[in-house]
């Protein structure tokens, strides 16, 4: 496949991407259990408890298995990925499962990693508006700089800055300027009269997270896209 239709991730970038996937959605028990075998091997097992499948992990060979819930299992898998030395072939198998798209081991400019198939080259928005009603409430400094340069006080009033303990600044959108609470829907989502078609009223200057949406078909599905 042409590299134009693939995205290359180093092993570290691939692990970061998997962690981002886990953090972005609700726990994904079926996925977690599939890749637990790839990551943990014999230190992972499934049993039936009270009529339901339950996951067990063993942190060290000299320790007994312990029961974990789905959220804890997701965190533990990322912890293990960040502490072990994983090869490109195994990482490609994990990425295939996590991102629901083919991934193969490879390298770029001498760096080992995985090539992940780009699913979105033929994506066409059908203007259902669901993505705008399943908000990620994120924007970046570059978004604010653009809106500030344009004097878009109407947009800036919906953005909240938060100083983090590490000294960095987090930007959250869309926060209702009247209540201080996250909006249920993007305040800049418009609807064509008498239709089910929606549009962005700030399309030319919308946040980066909106311009890049959707990252994958899985991301589209998880956020209600009708594509």
């Amino acid at each position: 496949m042409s590299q134009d239709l693939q995205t290359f991730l180093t092993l570290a970038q691939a692990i970061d991407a998997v962690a981002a996937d886990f953090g972005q959605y609700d726990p994904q028990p079926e996925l977690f259990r599939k890749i637990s075998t790839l990551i943990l091997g014999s230190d992972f097992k499934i049993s039936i408890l009270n009529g339901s499948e339950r996951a067990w992990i063993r942190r060290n060979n000299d320790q007994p298995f312990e029961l974990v819930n789905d959220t804890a299992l997701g965190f533990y898998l990322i912890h293990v990925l960040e502490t072990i030395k994983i090869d490109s072939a195994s990482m490609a198998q994990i990425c295939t499962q996590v991102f629901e798209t083919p991934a193969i081991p490879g390298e770029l400019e001498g760096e080992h990693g995985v090539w992940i198939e780009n699913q979105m080259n033929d994506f066409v928005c059908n203007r259902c508006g669901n993505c705008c009603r399943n908000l990620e409430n994120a924007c970046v400094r570059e978004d604010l700089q653009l809106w500030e340069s344009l004097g878009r006080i109407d947009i800036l009033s919906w953005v909240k800055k938060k100083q983090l303990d590490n000294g960095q600044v987090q930007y959250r959108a869309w926060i209702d300027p009247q209540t201080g609470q996250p909006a249920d829907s993007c305040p800049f989502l418009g609807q064509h009269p008498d239709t089910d078609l929606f549009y962005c009223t700030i399309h030319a200057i919308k946040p980066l997270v909106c311009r890049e949406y959707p990252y994958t078909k899985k991301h589209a599905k998880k956020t209600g896209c009708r594509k």
Side-chain angles (χ1 to χ4, degrees), residues 127-145:
R127 296 185 289 172
C128 70
N130 283 344
C131 59
C132 304
R133 291 188 292 270
N134 290 277
L135 303 177
E136 295 186 22
N137 291 331
C139 60
V140 295
R141 176 58 189 163
E142 288 72 20
D143 294 324
L144 267 74
Q145 290 174 331

Side-chain angles (χ1 to χ4, degrees), residues 80-153:
V80 172
L81 281 176
E82 292 175 339
T83 54
I84 66 173
K85 185 175 182 180
I86 193 165
D87 60 86
S88 297
S90 297
M91 197 68 231
Q93 291 183 63
I94 294 167
C95 288
T96 296
Q97 295 288 343
V98 172
F99 304 120
E100 300 179 4
T101 188
I104 59 173
E107 61 179 86
L108 181 65
E109 298 178 352
E111 187 83 39
H112 292 285
V114 295
W115 287 97
I116 301 178
E117 184 176 314
N118 184 345
Q119 304 171 310
M120 306 314 300
N121 287 337
D122 59 350
F123 179 82
V124 177
C125 176
N126 64 10
R127 296 185 289 172
C128 70
N130 283 344
C131 59
C132 304
R133 291 188 292 270
N134 290 277
L135 303 177
E136 295 186 22
N137 291 331
C139 60
V140 295
R141 176 58 189 163
E142 288 72 20
D143 294 324
L144 267 74
Q145 290 174 331
L146 173 60
W147 299 330
E148 288 169 348
S149 70
L150 297 172
R152 293 300 300 265
I153 303 302

